[in-house]
């Protein structure tokens, strides 16, 4: 919710308060980011099946801060943003929507493992874990984290390959998601060694 509100506010600032210097590259990224955080909220509310574990207060504050700062950093990157053609914007939008679809698919697969909709179980199983199967899980153990990196990296490259305020968000996201990938892959190795041995941690067939 915080992410949607902050992104929408920044988008309105760009459209109306900074209308004399509209940058269609930045507007495109803000709209795509709004789609992203809206989709994530929907998944949290209606798709994901959470365990009984609780998030630490510091982690909670960090999450709120991240979704406030991220859209602001996109706006602050405006002076360095490349001028993209409408064709490039269209291709970027399609690319990002594909990433959104793939990540949503992965989250639905993970949720199905704990809601009795997966072939591994026929009953509600919030307290049990099963190795995910299908789609990107054939090649990597944590495709949702890889897709998250891909989404932020795509935004960065679309704005500009140069170091900009948004680059700090990208750097944080990469570090955070790589840590999550490493922790989750090792958890799979300890609990489902045969399954994990057939899947890469980050790059299929490489590592």
């Amino acid at each position: 919710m915080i992410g949607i509100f902050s992104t929408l506010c920044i988008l309105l600032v760009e459209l109306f308060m900074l209308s004399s210097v509209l940058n269609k590259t930045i507007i495109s990224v803000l709209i795509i980011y709004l789609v992203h955080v809206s989709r994530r909220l929907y998944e949290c509310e209606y798709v994901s099946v959470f365990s009984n574990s609780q998030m630490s207060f510091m982690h909670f504050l960090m999450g709120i801060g991240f979704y406030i700062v991220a859209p602001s950093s996109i706006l602050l990157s405006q002076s360095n943003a490349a001028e993209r053609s409408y064709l490039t914007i269209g291709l970027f939008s399609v690319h990002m929507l594909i990433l959104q679809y793939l990540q949503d698919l992965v989250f639905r697969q993970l949720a199905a493992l704990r809601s009795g909709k997966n072939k591994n179980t026929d009953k509600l199983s919030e307290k049990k874990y099963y190795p995910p199967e299908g789609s990107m899980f054939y090649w990597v153990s944590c495709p949702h984290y890889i897709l998250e990196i891909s989404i932020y990296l795509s935004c960065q490259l679309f704005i500009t390959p140069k170091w900009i305020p948004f680059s700090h968000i990208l750097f944080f996201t990469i570090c955070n998601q790589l840590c999550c990938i490493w922790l989750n892959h090792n958890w799979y190795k300890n609990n489902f060694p045969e399954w994990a041995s057939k899947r890469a941690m980050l790059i299929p067939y490489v590592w």
Side-chain angles (χ1 to χ4, degrees), residues 92-139:
F92 168 73
S93 300
V94 171
H95 165 74
M96 293 298 287
L97 289 175
I98 291 173
L99 292 179
Q100 297 292 330
Y101 167 76
L102 290 174
Q103 194 176 48
D104 178 69
L105 175 63
V106 169
F107 278 117
R108 290 180 183 276
Q109 288 177 284
L110 290 172
L113 291 172
R114 309 183 73 188
S115 60
K117 298 178 182 178
N118 189 272
K119 64 181 180 181
N120 292 317
T121 177
D122 57 0
K123 60 182 180 180
L124 194 64
S125 52
E126 295 93 335
K127 296 183 179 180
K128 295 184 179 180
Y129 295 89
Y130 301 89
E133 303 284 350
S135 68
M136 296 180 69
F137 285 109
Y138 281 121
W139 299 285

Side-chain angles (χ1 to χ4, degrees), residues 18-36:
L18 301 176
S19 56
S20 60
V21 287
L22 281 179
N23 187 307
K24 58 180 182 289
T25 299
I26 295 299
I27 292 174
S28 301
V29 174
L30 285 170
I31 292 173
I32 288 294
Y33 196 72
L34 181 60
V35 171
H36 176 62

